[in-house]
Amino acid sequence: MRNSLVKKSIINVLKKNIKIDILLFATVCGVVMLSLIPPQILKYIIDGCLVPRNSDRLLFLATIYMGILLLIGLFDFIKEAVLTILGQKITKEIRLEMMKKLKKIGTMFFSLNSTGTVVSRFTNDVDAINSMFTDGIIGMLIDCLKVIGIVLSIWMFSVKLGVITLLILPIIYVITRTFQKKMLKAQIENRVLVGRVNNHISESLKNVQMIKSYSKESYMEQNFSLYLLDNYKTVEKVNFYDSVFSPIIQIIRAVVIGIIVILSSKKLNYLGISLGMVAASIELISNLFAPIESLGMELQDIQQAVSGMHRVNDFYDLPEEYSAGSELKTNDIIRARGDIKLCFNDVSFQYEEGTDILKNINLDVNPQEKVTFVGKTGVGKSTLFKLVMGFLKPSSGNITINGIDVYNIPNSEKRKIFGYVNQSFNLINGTVAQQISLKDENITKEQIENALDFVGLTDYVAALENGIDTIVSSEVLFSQGQKELLAIARAIVADPPILLFDEITANLDSITEEKLIAVLQKASKYHTILSITHRLCSMLTCDTVAILEDGKIKNIGAPEMFSVNAYLQNDKYNI
């Protein structure tokens, strides 16, 4: 049996809130039992006061009748308030568990699933589950209990009327079941399409500058319109079933009430019940159809939630990235800074089966060695770095540090081992210091200041309004070159022994590139460095050059082995 996050979260919340559970149970019982009393009082008012024209107890019974209605309203209010509280607690519990799970899921999940799809699971699907608990299951339970109580009350008035009522219920069940199946199918389809719409919005905002630069607004708008149209069609299906269900129930109710009145008339008198019983029966029948009519709305919430539950539980059942070696610490892997052996052991990788990105990569990197990977765009250089950091798992082979598979190193330890810098620097909400520390409480202010000094940004940051405590609210606070230096500061602040640089000089002018290379040369004295370039002419100072072609290492050796001029004339590498 698969592990159900929703079930687990609901049970945990209910166990932690026993008093609220008892209050909810009491209010549910109160609403159900009190709702059966008014028709009985109405019967006594008509048969005992109005028909014999005896008004002695009329005021008393009318007062009780109104009082019961007020109590029903009060109990219903308390029930809704309690459900809202429990629903919010369950929502919080589910999202916290999902966030814990998110930290353990392999990076391949994010390669195969768009941002909008992941966000949709945390928002739309969890909200749907909340609606199921607050408006769906409890409401359906109350309505089912009301139906049972009403049928018993009608049966006590007249066995014949009770039989008529029982004959109606299967018809209502068949109608309800039919709509349930239709709505479930439409809701599941809608959940998928909502994720697609969310993803398109997210991707559009993320790449808005590129979209405007290449005048692709119309193209993106056209795609968005198509996604919205598909989503609209599924929502239209759900709304159609919901809108048709209610009138059908109302027509059946009117027909049944008409039959009761005709069968109770003086000419037929088939049911053999008094005028008060007729009035009470009509009210009970109306009360019978009210919960059945509500079942249609509750079914919509439940069907929507069921599809959300499947998606949330599927997310929770995803394999976790670090099963083995989850207790590994940096000191267990690297006992001495100068004792780091990085080995690529026959590494192959595929994003999709049958399409090899990397094939049989074998390479040993010695302590504090500087290796540059050269190859044309798309040859798999960045993918190789993701494998080195254990973000992706090789299809075959492995990458080890001192014999430990990098894929088994916990995320919490990776920043102490790897420092990664790529072409883009992603800002976070926070201060300059937090841009470097990434809000890691284990990184001290002194470490941040040392990192800024290392990359030569101390004076610039000190001149800001609040120094390293200045809030970074705009991209224009730092130039492109300064962002690259901040990226290096972010990478080295935890003093990791291995640094990885992915095309970091590609978008810089020659002056800024010289400053950046000077910083990198200083860093190379204390770290093992892996760098990526697609041109030999932009290759950083290194000990070893590895030429990648068709996913394989074609050539490897010292920089002196390669003729720069020869490669500059070859379009394979000079891109």
Side-chain angles (χ1 to χ4, degrees):
M1 180 180 290
R2 73 183 203 164
N3 193 2
S4 173
L5 170 61
V6 178
K7 178 181 177 181
K8 172 185 171 183
S9 299
I10 291 175
I11 292 174
N12 287 342
V13 170
L14 293 178
K15 284 182 178 179
K16 294 176 184 176
N17 299 273
I18 300 297
K19 293 182 179 179
I20 297 179
D21 300 342
I22 294 173
L23 180 60
L24 176 61
F25 178 77
T27 54
V28 168
C29 292
V31 168
V32 172
M33 290 188 292
L34 288 173
S35 64
L36 300 176
I37 297 177
Q40 302 294 336
I41 297 176
L42 181 62
K43 169 183 172 298
Y44 285 112
I45 288 176
I46 294 175
D47 289 343
C49 299
L50 298 181
V51 172
R53 300 182 180 277
N54 180 8
S55 59
D56 292 344
R57 303 183 62 192
L58 182 60
L59 180 61
F60 173 73
L61 291 174
T63 302
I64 294 177
Y65 187 87
M66 294 298 296
I68 294 297
L69 293 180
L70 288 174
L71 278 176
I72 291 173
L74 177 62
F75 273 73
D76 197 52
F77 169 77
I78 296 173
K79 179 203 72 176
E80 292 296 329
V82 172
L83 283 176
T84 300
I85 293 171
L86 285 176
Q88 289 301 314
K89 288 180 179 291
I90 290 171
T91 299
K92 178 183 176 182
E93 182 82 11
I94 292 174
R95 285 182 173 146
L96 285 175
E97 290 298 323
M98 289 178 70
M99 184 56 68
K100 292 177 183 177
K101 180 70 177 184
L102 192 67
K103 297 177 181 178
K104 303 175 183 178
I105 294 175
T107 310
M108 183 61 75
F109 171 80
F110 301 99
S111 299
L112 300 176
N113 293 272
S114 61
T115 304
T117 302
V118 179
V119 171
S120 179
R121 297 196 183 197
F122 276 79
T123 54
N124 298 339
D125 293 333
V126 178
D127 286 340
I129 293 170
N130 179 38
S131 297
M132 177 193 69
F133 182 79
T134 56
D135 299 325
I137 290 180
I138 301 299
M140 181 171 284
L141 174 63
I142 292 173
D143 289 332
C144 288
L145 292 175
K146 283 182 179 179
V147 169
I148 294 172
I150 289 170
V151 171
L152 291 176
S153 298
I154 293 175
W155 195 278
M156 291 172 63
F157 285 159
S158 169
V159 174
K160 295 177 181 178
L161 188 56
V163 172
I164 293 173
T165 305
L166 289 177
L167 291 175
I168 296 170
L169 291 179
I171 298 174
I172 303 302
Y173 173 79
V174 171
I175 295 173
T176 301
R177 184 62 180 168
T178 301
F179 277 86
Q180 180 185 25
K181 292 178 179 179
K182 297 287 186 181
M183 283 190 285
L184 176 59
K185 182 180 179 181
Q187 287 292 351
I188 292 176
E189 185 179 354
N190 185 54
R191 291 264 63 79
V192 175
L193 294 175
V194 166
R196 185 189 298 176
V197 170
N198 287 342
N199 178 64
H200 187 85
I201 294 173
S202 175
E203 293 299 322
S204 298
L205 293 174
K206 182 179 179 181
N207 300 298
V208 64
Q209 292 182 348
M210 183 179 68
I211 292 170
K212 289 184 174 293
S213 298
Y214 290 93
S215 300
K216 291 294 183 180
E217 294 93 340
S218 298
Y219 171 77
M220 297 300 290
E221 183 180 353
Q222 182 180 4
N223 284 345
F224 187 57
S225 298
L226 292 175
Y227 295 153
L228 281 178
L229 181 61
D230 291 340
N231 183 48
Y232 170 77
K233 289 178 180 178
T234 59
V235 173
E236 197 175 44
K237 287 182 183 178
V238 176
N239 291 336
F240 171 77
Y241 295 134
D242 182 50
S243 61
V244 170
F245 180 80
S246 182
I248 290 175
I249 296 299
Q250 291 179 8
I251 291 172
I252 295 174
R253 177 173 59 185
V255 171
V256 172
I257 291 175
I259 292 173
I260 292 174
V261 172
I262 293 172
L263 294 178
S264 303
S265 62
K266 289 183 178 181
K267 291 183 179 181
L268 295 180
N269 196 24
Y270 176 75
L271 298 178
I273 56 177
S274 66
L275 183 60
M277 288 183 180
V278 172
S281 298
I282 291 175
E283 182 168 354
L284 285 170
I285 290 293
S286 297
N287 292 341
L288 174 65
F289 280 84
I292 293 178
E293 185 179 349
S294 297
L295 289 175
M297 299 297 294
E298 291 154 0
L299 279 174
Q300 180 176 346
D301 292 329
I302 290 175
Q303 298 312 310
Q304 185 176 0
V306 167
S307 61
M309 284 176 61
H310 284 308
R311 285 159 58 86
V312 169
N313 284 329
D314 287 343
F315 172 81
Y316 193 66
D317 290 338
L318 288 171
E320 296 183 1
E321 187 169 14
Y322 306 109
S323 55
S326 59
E327 301 300 322
L328 282 172
K329 298 298 180 184
T330 302
N331 293 336
D332 299 328
I333 304 166
I334 302 172
R335 290 182 171 81
R337 191 175 185 86
D339 181 23
I340 300 175
K341 186 74 171 180
L342 178 63
C343 298
F344 297 77
N345 304 306
D346 203 27
V347 175
S348 297
F349 179 76
Q350 301 174 342
Y351 281 107
E352 297 178 357
E353 188 174 352
T355 305
D356 290 325
I357 305 299
L358 296 169
K359 308 171 189 175
N360 308 115
I361 302 295
N362 287 283
L363 178 66
D364 291 342
V365 181
N366 297 313
Q368 297 183 352
E369 184 178 0
K370 294 170 281 296
V371 179
T372 296
F373 294 93
V374 182
K376 65 181 181 180
T377 301
V379 77
K381 302 185 299 296
S382 297
T383 297
L384 188 65
F385 271 22
K386 292 177 183 178
L387 291 167
V388 170
M389 293 183 287
F391 292 159
L392 297 176
K393 185 178 179 63
S395 303
S396 62
N398 62 11
I399 301 174
T400 61
I401 297 178
N402 296 339
I404 303 295
D405 193 329
V406 295
Y407 190 76
N408 292 331
I409 300 175
N411 277 336
S412 58
E413 299 297 310
K414 284 184 177 176
R415 198 177 184 192
K416 302 172 187 176
I417 299 173
F418 302 106
Y420 176 59
V421 184
N422 61 9
Q423 298 178 48
S424 59
F425 179 73
N426 297 315
L427 295 171
I428 64 171
N429 294 325
T431 64
V432 175
Q434 289 171 335
Q435 304 303 320
I436 298 172
S437 69
L438 293 177
K439 301 184 180 182
D440 186 344
E441 296 178 355
N442 295 320
I443 294 177
T444 64
K445 182 179 180 180
E446 182 181 2
Q447 286 178 294
I448 295 171
E449 291 173 342
N450 290 339
L452 285 170
D453 181 62
F454 187 88
V455 299
L457 285 178
T458 299
D459 292 340
Y460 178 81
V461 172
L464 297 176
E465 183 178 0
N466 296 311
I468 64 172
D469 295 320
T470 301
I471 298 294
V472 180
S473 57
S474 172
E475 292 273 354
V476 299
L477 187 62
F478 296 98
S479 67
Q480 183 62 38
Q482 288 170 329
K483 288 178 183 177
E484 289 293 348
L485 293 174
L486 276 176
I488 296 174
R490 178 185 285 179
I492 68 171
V493 69
D495 195 25
I498 301 174
L499 297 178
L500 302 98
F501 300 128
D502 187 354
E503 292 279 14
I504 62 175
T505 63
N507 300 321
L508 302 179
D509 58 77
S510 58
I511 296 176
T512 305
E513 183 176 349
E514 288 179 7
K515 293 180 180 179
L516 189 61
I517 289 175
V519 172
L520 297 180
Q521 288 176 338
K522 184 166 61 170
S524 67
K525 298 178 181 179
Y526 313 101
H527 303 83
T528 298
I529 294 182
L530 305 181
S531 61
I532 285 176
T533 183
H534 66 271
R535 294 186 299 175
L536 281 169
C537 60
S538 62
M539 184 177 64
L540 301 175
T541 302
C542 63
D543 303 315
T544 304
V545 177
I547 305 295
L548 287 175
E549 184 177 341
D550 296 328
K552 298 180 179 180
I553 294 181
K554 181 179 180 181
N555 291 305
I556 187 170
E560 296 80 14
M561 293 176 58
F562 301 94
S563 170
V564 174
N565 291 329
Y567 278 103
L568 289 177
Q569 295 171 4
N570 191 331
D571 288 338
K572 283 185 177 180
Y573 305 111
N574 186 28
I575 297 175

